[in-house]
Amino acid sequence: MGISGVADLPLHAGHVPPWLYSRMVRLSGLIVELLIDERGIKNTIRLFSNPVFFQAFNNIIGMDWDSSGSTTITTAALKEALSKKDTGIKVIGGKGVYALNAPIEIEELGRTWDIDIETLKLMSRLSAKIDNTALQDGYRLYHHAMIIGSDGTWAVIQQGLNEKIKYARRYHIWMENDLLNEPHTGIVGIKGNHALNMVSRTSNDARKTILDLVHQEAIKVVRDWAMVKAMMKGNTTILTYLGKEPPRYYNPYLSGAFKPYTASINEDTIKQARDANDFKDLLLTRGLGPSTMLALALIAELIYRNPIDWNDPANIDPRRYAFALGGKDGSPYPVNREIYDTVIDIMQAIVDMARKDGALTIYLKHLANVTRQLNLPVDLVRPTPP
């Protein structure tokens, strides 16, 4: 997927007015029904794992392109809409405490659908670890939503916040991506200068070294960490006299250019990680958080000379889809209730008729009605040929 540009998502403290949110819920459900009818459950969920599609969906239902609510409100509206419909797709999790309820909600789905609830719970937890521990970009996760299909298909949409600069960042993960090598279909947010990215292919050798480290006696890791701390202070080590000291090169953590966390080694955590079979198991080790991962990464790079990817992977510009029905805060223009209701009525008619005749045929048939009633140029509603 070709991607260019970045976008900033400022934290907005306002609330969506009830009159608008209720319409968002209705329109969300109608759009998803049509998508499922045309594409099926798996491909519909896959669409939402694409950050560009998600941004377009967010703008179509009336959220602002540049708001942190473009994630939280959109997934909440989608969750509510699908909770009222038997479409074969549900949304679990959400913002704050709702994110913590994700395992419970997955178990509830398992009572209705024949799905592997333990695997889904594991993937939910692993996704959170990826964007909070393996990838450290200065944003703390506060939103975790998972879109799940009755066939076991899933995608994760997460959002973190940077309290210092007052911006948010959204992460998209699709189930068929390699979760340890470039797991994201895209990341929406203002691009920073540096990030610790342990799920980059560049960091592959470092991941292997870190796994070897935790398989040793914990005291050896502690000694390596002591050597790194000496290097941070600029102290000369015995390796200098043996001619084996790693070359001094630019490291963003040592230079002070990147310090969202303070690196540290917890000996008890290292002991618990000894049974990890792979990097996924290591990430899921209880107690292994950003500080320990950062310390292990520094050991791998500075002592064992395995390169780490310090490039910030944020890469999506959502602004091109901001002109559907307007936005909550009037960006790019205020939402018109009459036009919004007209769109809902048309979509409802399309869904009702699609149940009889097929969604795509009815969609094409009613494009002229959409154009006439909304007084839009034909080019804005003409479907793009596949």
Side-chain angles (χ1 to χ4, degrees):
M1 179 175 65
I3 295 170
S4 64
V6 298
D8 40 355
L9 299 176
L11 296 171
H12 284 196
H15 297 283
V16 178
W19 67 263
L20 178 56
Y21 182 73
S22 63
R23 287 169 170 82
M24 289 178 174
V25 171
R26 291 178 61 193
L27 187 55
S28 295
L30 292 169
I31 293 173
V32 171
E33 280 193 79
L34 284 173
L35 288 172
I36 293 173
D37 186 73
E38 182 179 344
R39 294 174 174 268
I41 290 173
K42 180 176 181 178
N43 286 330
T44 296
I45 294 176
R46 187 169 189 169
L47 281 175
F48 283 96
S49 76
N50 183 317
V52 176
F53 174 86
F54 184 91
Q55 194 67 40
F57 184 89
N58 154 80
N59 294 133
I60 283 173
I61 66 172
M63 272 305 299
D64 303 306
W65 67 265
D66 65 341
S67 166
S68 57
S70 63
T71 304
T72 58
I73 299 300
T74 300
T75 52
L78 190 63
K79 180 177 183 177
E80 183 172 340
L82 297 180
S83 70
K84 302 173 181 177
K85 298 176 181 289
D86 185 17
T87 62
I89 294 179
K90 300 292 183 185
V91 178
I92 61 97
K95 179 181 177 180
V97 66
Y98 295 103
L100 301 178
N101 289 337
I104 298 173
E105 293 184 61
I106 292 173
E107 290 179 356
E108 291 174 353
L109 282 181
R111 300 188 186 103
T112 304
W113 295 342
D114 183 18
I115 54 178
D116 187 343
I117 61 174
E118 293 305 319
T119 295
L120 287 169
K121 286 162 63 176
L122 186 67
M123 293 300 100
S124 170
R125 185 167 165 242
L126 179 60
S127 297
K129 279 283 195 172
I130 286 172
D131 288 329
N132 219 36
T133 299
L135 174 61
Q136 298 180 31
D137 51 14
Y139 290 78
R140 177 177 55 82
L141 286 188
Y142 71 101
H143 175 276
H144 168 85
M146 196 173 193
I147 305 177
I148 300 174
S150 57
D151 58 357
T153 301
W154 61 270
V156 167
I157 301 169
Q158 305 187 120
Q159 186 155 283
L161 64 87
N162 185 314
E163 295 175 340
K164 182 178 180 180
I165 63 174
K166 304 297 182 184
Y167 280 101
R169 173 173 287 196
R170 185 169 71 245
Y171 312 84
H172 290 254
I173 296 177
W174 168 239
M175 60 177 289
E176 294 180 351
N177 295 351
D178 184 341
L179 297 186
L180 298 182
N181 278 301
E182 321 294 346
H184 301 98
T185 47
I187 300 175
V188 181
I190 184 170
K191 194 174 183 68
N193 294 323
H194 301 289
L196 172 67
N197 189 355
M198 293 305 300
V199 285
S200 164
R201 288 186 174 86
T202 301
S203 302
N204 182 57
D205 289 342
R207 288 197 299 269
K208 294 177 182 178
T209 295
I210 288 173
L211 205 58
D212 289 339
L213 284 171
V214 299
H215 287 161
Q216 301 176 11
E217 293 294 332
I219 189 61
K220 295 182 180 179
V221 180
V222 172
R223 289 171 182 165
D224 282 343
W225 178 236
M227 188 179 297
V228 169
K229 288 195 292 184
M231 294 170 67
M232 290 181 187
K233 297 176 181 178
N235 296 345
T236 301
T237 71
I238 193 172
L239 292 179
T240 302
Y241 303 102
L242 297 177
K244 296 180 179 180
E245 181 155 1
R248 294 189 178 275
Y249 58 93
Y250 180 78
N251 179 287
Y253 187 84
L254 298 188
S255 70
F258 170 76
K259 284 196 177 183
Y261 297 99
T262 300
S264 64
I265 287 293
N266 185 308
E267 191 170 346
D268 291 335
T269 300
I270 299 300
K271 291 177 180 177
Q272 293 181 43
R274 290 191 68 183
D275 294 330
N277 295 315
D278 52 28
F279 197 74
K280 178 194 73 176
D281 289 346
L282 180 64
L283 280 178
L284 293 171
T285 299
R286 296 289 180 183
L288 194 147
S291 296
T292 302
M293 179 57 68
L294 179 55
L296 291 170
L298 290 169
I299 293 173
E301 181 170 71
L302 298 175
I303 302 230
Y304 296 96
R305 310 185 192 191
N306 297 130
I308 298 290
D309 191 342
W310 294 97
N311 293 309
D312 189 342
N315 57 359
I316 303 294
D317 181 355
R319 287 169 284 191
R320 69 188 70 177
Y321 300 101
F323 296 93
L325 289 168
K328 170 181 70 71
D329 293 337
S331 174
Y333 53 83
V335 174
N336 183 298
R337 300 190 198 196
E338 183 179 352
I339 291 179
Y340 206 124
D341 288 341
T342 300
V343 171
I344 289 177
D345 290 342
I346 293 172
M347 292 293 291
Q348 185 65 64
I350 292 173
V351 169
D352 292 342
M353 297 181 70
R355 294 191 180 110
K356 301 177 183 179
D357 303 322
L360 185 57
T361 300
I362 299 302
Y363 169 67
L364 295 173
K365 180 179 178 181
H366 282 270
L367 280 176
N369 290 337
V370 175
T371 304
R372 285 196 300 272
Q373 294 191 44
L374 299 186
N375 195 28
L376 297 175
V378 174
D379 286 346
L380 289 182
V381 293
R382 181 181 295 133
T384 302

